[in-house]
Amino acid sequence: MMLVRTRVAPSAIHGMGLFAVEAIRQGTPVWRFEPGFDREFAPEEFAALSPEAQTHLRWFAYVDRETDGRVLSGDHTCFMNHAPDPNTGAPPDSTPPIVTVALRDIAAGEELTCDYWAFDAEAREKLA
């Protein structure tokens, strides 16, 4: 669940992106998994879904490196694009449950980015 105000708009990085509506100070929490709003699909749940649902999850969810589950946010988080030098991420000393924070000050109107390699077991396929 996004903890800051965002909007979806065309991205210079890829397709659509997620943009800050207001300035975000470094260290501000920007995302956390919210049970009941966000959803994690265990591998066996994913396997039982229709091919169409699986395709949707492959595109819009990430594969948690710890649980191998597919995490689907209930909001527009799925539009956050990858960047090699992202402006959001988990602090180095984070322990579960992980809360993503602003790694530096983010200006209003700036695209929010993350490092897929840091959390998505399918980063290679998504970035190919």
Side-chain angles (χ1 to χ4, degrees), residues 8-32:
V8 176
S11 167
I13 297 170
H14 179 266
M16 302 299 280
L18 194 63
F19 294 81
V21 170
E22 302 166 337
I24 304 168
R25 294 185 50 98
Q26 180 177 356
T28 300
V30 296
W31 182 89
R32 73 166 180 259

Side-chain angles (χ1 to χ4, degrees), residues 55-126:
T55 297
H56 181 82
L57 286 177
R58 281 191 188 98
W59 188 256
F60 289 108
Y62 70 87
V63 178
D64 186 285
R65 292 187 181 281
E66 301 295 318
T67 66
D68 205 32
R70 292 181 187 270
V71 177
L72 180 66
S73 290
D75 57 18
H76 292 121
T77 303
C78 62
F79 289 101
M80 192 179 292
N81 283 312
H82 168 79
D85 184 24
N87 56 18
T88 73
D93 57 349
S94 294
T95 58
I98 303 297
V99 175
T100 302
V101 301
L103 297 175
R104 59 173 174 74
D105 288 346
I106 300 169
E110 185 176 348
E111 184 168 1
L112 300 178
T113 58
C114 59
D115 177 4
Y116 289 6
W117 294 103
F119 62 90
D120 191 346
E122 291 187 338
R124 180 180 317 291
E125 293 83 1
K126 290 179 180 163

